[in-house]
Structures are given as C-alpha cells and as structure tokens.
Amino acid sequence: MDDARPAPSLDAAATTDPERERLMAVLRRVADPEIGESIVDLGLVDSLVLGPASVALRLIPTSATCPMADVLIEDAETALRQACPPDWTVEVEMDWDAVWTPQRMSTALRLRLGWA
C-alpha cells in the first residue's frame, strides 16, 4: 500500500486566514540547507495549525535518513518564533512516517529542476 500523502492545499487554505498566509510567507523564506530551496516549495510543510496563541508545524523529510532534519526543524522554528508574538507557543516536528515524493513540490520548482 502506498503511504505517500499528497501535498496539502496550503495556498488555498492560506487565502482564507491572513495570519496563516503571513506565516506561510515566513516559511517560504526558510531554505532546505542541502538544496537551497524553500521548504514550502519543496513540499516539506505537511501542516501548519494555528491555535489560540500557538502555532504547530509538521514537516516531512525528503528521505527516511534526512541528515539535515535537525537543521530544518531549528530553522523553521526560529523563523516562526521571530514572526509570532513572544508569548506564543511554537512547536515544530518532523513526521518520519510520512513519505515525500517530487509531486509534493510546487509546479514551478518541479519545472525548474526538470522534474515535471
């Protein structure tokens, strides 16, 4: 059975919530340290959930042995903490059970990298 999950419709959801849209824009500036591309465009953002004075981000690795997972988590958490009010709770985790595929990448990035 294929465990791959399609990329969530982040852009569609973002248009309905200005705060979520703002935080997604912040995450678009976080680059994967190995590839140098946005974690959003790479499809590494599995979910971004806002609650009362909190934000929870779940990332997925590009491989089961992603050597830069700790850096990705730290960079995303730092970006969110800088963008959120100081009293907000910020949680970032890596979902090691999720399977990343190139289809999770934005269309523009797939085209640019020749994966379309």
Side-chain angles (χ1 to χ4, degrees):
M1 176 173 224
D2 185 5
D3 290 334
R5 288 183 265 172
S9 179
L10 296 170
D11 292 329
T15 59
T16 61
D17 182 347
E19 183 63 8
R20 189 173 191 289
E21 184 176 350
R22 184 181 73 79
L23 293 177
M24 286 301 296
V26 166
L27 291 172
R28 277 190 174 83
R29 295 190 300 266
V30 176
D32 178 284
E34 292 183 300
I35 302 170
E37 298 290 344
S38 160
I39 64 173
V40 174
D41 291 338
L42 281 167
L44 303 185
V45 174
D46 191 46
S47 67
L48 178 67
V49 178
L50 278 70
S54 69
V55 61
L57 173 66
R58 185 173 56 229
L59 300 172
I60 66 168
T62 55
S63 74
T65 60
C66 180
M68 300 304 284
D70 289 341
V71 174
L72 286 168
I73 291 168
E74 183 179 316
D75 290 352
E77 184 174 341
T78 297
L80 289 173
R81 285 192 187 285
Q82 290 174 350
C84 292
D87 62 331
W88 276 34
T89 301
V90 175
E91 294 179 8
V92 180
E93 67 178 5
M94 187 69 69
D95 182 353
W96 291 102
D97 294 325
V99 177
W100 180 89
T101 67
Q103 288 72 34
R104 291 187 60 90
M105 288 191 287
S106 69
T107 302
L109 184 57
R110 278 197 318 270
L111 288 170
R112 196 169 77 234
L113 296 178
W115 289 43

